[in-house]
Amino acid sequence: MYKVFVNEKKLLLSKNPENLEKTVGYENPTTLEIALDLLQNTSTSELNVHGENLERIWEEFNLLFRKIEAAGGIVNNASQEILFIKRLGKWDLPKGKMEKGESREESAIREIEEETGLTNVVLKDFINTTYHIYIERNGDRVLKYTHWFEMFFDGEDTSKPQTEEGITEVAWKNCAQITAEVFPNTFKNIKLILSDFNENKFK
């Protein structure tokens, strides 16, 4: 099953039909174009495309886009808080595009250190990959893969926002603050990865 966000709307690609607002059986790549059109140009907020050969559907879907890979992390500290950045008025997790020749792990650490000012962040486990779509100024359709890792920080807090990247704040948030402050003002793929990370804490 693949969850892709299109302007904060959910496209779910699956083998079996799911109970979403709209459900469409996969016939050919045109099915995917129709699904994208419905999400981008109508009030439809969630749509499921289903078919027995899920990997073939995913391959066909990828052919519709230019692919960009990014990496980032959920950084914990000894107080069980998570590190967030605020960019364009929304809370987000530190992440960024992978550079040529970098591994996912190297990219995740570099982006966190650049965006938050922390050093000596310890990489732990891979969590999951999220997907979202956007349109570039030249009209190119981009499918962005973001690879997420769990990380730990237990040093001197040197955090400061990378203002040249539009980041205005860096803050540690506990579970209650995440529920009350972050979730009402973040992106759906951030909610998704936080839930994947610890589904018992974040609903």
Side-chain angles (χ1 to χ4, degrees), residues 66-97:
R66 183 165 66 84
K67 178 181 171 182
I68 286 178
E69 290 193 87
I74 296 179
V75 184
N76 286 283
N77 64 14
S79 301
Q80 300 299 309
E81 296 169 317
I82 291 175
L83 188 66
F84 289 89
I85 60 172
K86 184 173 267 190
R87 179 161 33 203
L88 301 176
K90 283 186 174 282
W91 289 110
D92 203 348
L93 292 167
K95 65 184 183 303
K97 291 180 185 177

Side-chain angles (χ1 to χ4, degrees), residues 4-60:
V4 183
F5 290 98
V6 186
N7 296 331
E8 292 296 281
K9 296 180 176 184
K10 182 166 72 175
L11 174 61
L12 185 65
L13 306 178
S14 62
K15 279 194 174 184
N16 300 308
E18 299 290 330
N19 186 26
L20 297 187
E21 182 182 345
K22 286 189 183 296
T23 302
V24 180
Y26 179 82
E27 295 181 6
N28 54 51
T30 303
T31 306
L32 299 170
E33 291 281 12
I34 292 169
L36 289 169
D37 183 65
L38 285 169
L39 288 170
Q40 291 172 323
N41 299 308
T42 75
S43 60
T44 302
S45 62
E46 55 180 22
L47 191 149
N48 170 223
V49 175
H50 62 89
E52 186 61 32
N53 193 338
L54 179 58
E55 291 312 309
R56 180 189 160 206
I57 296 171
W58 182 241
E59 287 173 9
E60 295 286 356

Side-chain angles (χ1 to χ4, degrees), residues 82-128:
I82 291 175
L83 188 66
F84 289 89
I85 60 172
K86 184 173 267 190
R87 179 161 33 203
L88 301 176
K90 283 186 174 282
W91 289 110
D92 203 348
L93 292 167
K95 65 184 183 303
K97 291 180 185 177
M98 292 172 57
E99 294 183 352
K100 188 174 181 179
E102 275 188 325
S103 69
R104 297 173 180 182
E105 293 82 357
E106 289 168 339
S107 178
I109 291 172
R110 176 184 54 76
E111 285 292 341
I112 286 164
E113 292 185 344
E114 288 178 358
E115 292 193 343
T116 70
L118 293 183
T119 56
N120 300 317
V121 176
V122 178
L123 183 79
K124 296 183 77 176
D125 299 320
F126 174 70
I127 302 169
N128 208 343

Side-chain angles (χ1 to χ4, degrees), residues 148-163:
W148 296 98
F149 294 86
E150 178 185 1
M151 302 194 183
F152 184 73
F153 179 77
D154 193 26
E156 180 186 354
D157 189 354
T158 57
S159 59
K160 60 181 180 180
Q162 188 184 20
T163 54

